[in-house]
Amino acid sequence: MEIRKIVQNFNIKIFIYFLIIITALYTLAFTWVFNLKDDGYILADWLINYQDGGFKRRGLSGSFFFILQDLTKIKLNYIVYFFQFLIIGGFFLMYTKLIRYKRTDFLYLSLLLSAIGFIGLLNTVTYVGKKEFIVFLLFACFTYLLDNDKLSRTKEYIFCILLFISTLLHEVTLFYVPYFAIALYVKTGKLEYVRSLKYFVAVGIPTLLIMLFGKNVNEGMSLEILSQRGVHPTYGIFYWNIDERQYIKEHINEYILYFISLAISIFHIGYYLKYLNGRKLLSILLTGAFLFSLPLFYLAIDWGRWMYIHMMLMIVLFTLLLRKGESIYAFEPIVINRKFYITLGIIVLSLLYRVEMSGYGFTFEGILYRAFVAPLELLNKI
């Protein structure tokens, strides 16, 4: 009886605040570490530029940071981190504002604890500092304004401009734009095709320009240009010369494991949707959003990363469906029943397994292993 009472009085909202703080600090700290060591993926991806060969995908950010360095004489590592800090910190702040007066429940918490949700960041350090946080921030701001009936027509067009720019910063924006249209449906209960079309146009135009006129990420001078500016990556995006489809074929036994993680995530989301009104159409729309991103899985090897982006956007999206509360500590008390035990089982499983960004799609090296078993293994090796 005592355990039952503790469970029923467990404040889900406070735990979510704690999880947000831990995840944000972890993400910002390791982004800083990767930047200081001139990481060839996390830092270098922000330094792809137009100076080497002209217009190309992802090149806007590097050219922008070069201008800032010329004006301020500050190291590129620090300039990039300043903007990463604003974007990553801005996302976690906006997400906190989104759920502040929402009555979160145990099943919603399970989404954050998914191996490809917030826990995914703690599980797989290579998720930190990536440009998808731009999409997360934009979508969190969009959802917040939508939820509070503050998304005016002018603001919608501002978001279209920002999505246009975001696509020039990273083409991944294109493959997740359906979530903006789905958010409109969740809020209004209507499929507004004309209203939604402008978001697809906003990301489609820069994508077309990149496809028609975009040069290679490294046209031969990028490393020399970065070296002159004090950054010396020794691996990563500027060295990338892999046939990604061939890579997947050669590592097919590892990539097949992603289907296990995908099946768990589909069951998880399906179980969440089971308790929502109008879930049939929403399920179809979310399936459509996943299918819209399938070219990513064909073109690039980061399958875990693409799944993680989907889950993070759904976590933000589903805040629109949470009931409003009167306090920032408002939550739905836990009721110990069949739903509770199934949700608890999902959470335990989520904490047991890990989804690598590219490589092993499913391993039993989740957050519980990394927190309690791995340190003991390390001590035994000393």
Side-chain angles (χ1 to χ4, degrees):
M1 288 296 293
E2 193 65 32
I3 294 177
R4 179 181 291 266
K5 192 172 182 180
I6 291 172
V7 170
Q8 290 174 336
N9 289 325
F10 174 67
N11 192 310
I12 294 166
K13 180 63 75 60
I14 291 177
F15 184 82
I16 290 177
Y17 288 147
F18 172 76
L19 183 60
I20 292 170
I21 292 169
I22 293 298
T23 310
L25 291 176
Y26 177 94
T27 304
L28 290 168
F30 276 96
T31 300
W32 172 253
V33 170
F34 280 118
N35 279 20
L36 284 186
K37 68 174 190 175
D38 289 358
D39 185 77
Y41 293 107
I42 291 172
L43 173 64
D45 197 40
W46 294 81
L47 296 176
I48 299 169
N49 58 84
Y50 297 150
Q51 278 78 352
D52 174 29
F55 180 72
K56 64 181 72 168
R57 63 190 177 99
R58 311 185 199 178
L60 181 61
S61 56
S63 293
F64 172 69
F65 291 135
F66 289 175
I67 292 171
L68 289 183
Q69 186 185 40
D70 291 339
L71 292 173
T72 64
K73 309 304 179 187
I74 297 173
K75 285 187 66 174
L76 278 173
N77 310 62
Y78 301 152
I79 294 173
V80 172
Y81 185 74
F82 174 75
F83 282 89
Q84 289 172 320
F85 184 92
L86 292 180
I87 292 165
I88 295 169
F91 163 67
F92 285 109
L93 178 62
M94 285 307 304
Y95 176 71
T96 303
K97 292 184 70 173
L98 260 174
I99 65 160
R100 188 171 46 174
Y101 288 103
K102 295 297 184 105
R103 298 181 66 87
T104 50
D105 59 20
F106 193 51
L107 187 53
Y108 181 78
L109 172 62
S110 72
L111 297 176
L112 278 75
L113 296 175
S114 163
I116 52 172
F118 277 43
I119 289 295
L121 280 160
L122 303 178
N123 263 345
T124 310
V125 71
T126 47
Y127 288 164
V128 306
K130 302 283 190 178
K131 286 183 177 178
E132 52 261 29
F133 273 98
I134 299 170
V135 181
F136 295 164
L137 176 58
L138 288 178
F139 189 60
C141 293
F142 182 85
T143 305
Y144 178 80
L145 293 173
L146 192 59
D147 192 38
N148 290 278
D149 300 314
K150 294 180 179 179
L151 187 66
S152 64
R153 179 172 294 186
T154 301
K155 289 175 183 176
E156 284 201 63
Y157 281 105
I158 291 173
F159 273 103
C160 288
I161 294 170
L162 293 174
L163 285 170
F164 183 100
I165 295 170
S166 179
T167 309
L168 293 176
L169 294 171
H170 201 300
E171 66 280 4
V172 76
T173 307
L174 166 71
F175 298 99
Y176 294 95
V177 76
Y179 283 96
F180 289 82
I182 296 173
L184 290 175
Y185 162 72
V186 170
K187 177 63 177 179
T188 65
K190 298 181 292 184
L191 290 172
E192 301 180 82
Y193 300 105
V194 176
R195 186 182 182 186
S196 300
L197 181 62
K198 59 180 174 288
Y199 298 103
F200 290 87
V201 172
V203 297
I205 292 173
T207 301
L208 186 61
L209 292 174
I210 291 168
M211 291 175 63
L212 293 175
F213 307 110
K215 303 293 179 63
N216 294 320
V217 165
N218 186 358
E219 284 289 324
M221 295 297 294
S222 288
L223 290 170
E224 182 177 336
I225 290 170
L226 290 181
S227 179
Q228 292 170 356
R229 291 179 172 273
V231 177
H232 309 279
T234 56
Y235 59 90
I237 189 71
F238 293 116
Y239 294 87
W240 195 253
N241 188 27
I242 291 176
D243 183 332
E244 307 209 26
R245 288 179 289 282
Q246 185 61 34
Y247 179 90
I248 292 171
K249 289 178 183 178
E250 292 172 358
H251 297 80
I252 191 65
N253 291 334
E254 299 166 18
Y255 274 80
I256 284 175
L257 297 175
Y258 280 106
F259 290 97
I260 300 174
S261 300
L262 179 62
I264 294 170
S265 299
I266 289 173
F267 173 80
H268 192 175
I269 295 298
Y271 192 70
Y272 187 86
L273 293 173
K274 177 182 177 181
Y275 294 93
L276 300 179
N277 294 323
R279 62 182 179 271
K280 184 175 181 180
L281 183 52
L282 181 55
S283 300
I284 293 171
L285 292 174
L286 290 174
T287 302
F290 181 77
L291 294 176
F292 194 84
S293 71
L294 281 184
L296 270 178
F297 292 83
Y298 176 73
L299 295 169
I301 65 174
D302 295 348
W303 284 18
R305 182 181 173 191
W306 314 143
M307 291 164 59
Y308 143 77
I309 296 173
H310 276 293
M311 181 61 83
M312 293 292 284
L313 293 174
M314 282 189 277
I315 287 170
V316 174
L317 176 70
F318 291 153
T319 61
L320 291 169
L321 298 165
L322 296 174
R323 293 198 304 143
K324 291 189 181 293
E326 296 180 355
S327 163
I328 62 172
Y329 303 109
F331 68 100
E332 299 286 358
I334 295 174
V335 177
I336 300 180
N337 53 19
R338 184 169 179 270
K339 178 183 176 183
F340 165 76
Y341 287 114
I342 292 175
T343 304
L344 181 61
I346 292 171
I347 290 174
V348 172
L349 177 59
S350 296
L351 299 179
L352 286 173
Y353 80 96
R354 175 174 180 251
V355 184
E356 292 184 2
M357 185 171 74
S358 55
Y360 285 95
F362 179 93
T363 69
F364 282 110
E365 296 181 0
I367 195 68
L368 292 180
Y369 169 86
R370 296 167 72 78
F372 300 107
V373 180
L376 295 177
E377 292 180 344
L378 184 62
L379 286 173
N380 288 331
K381 291 178 181 178
I382 296 176

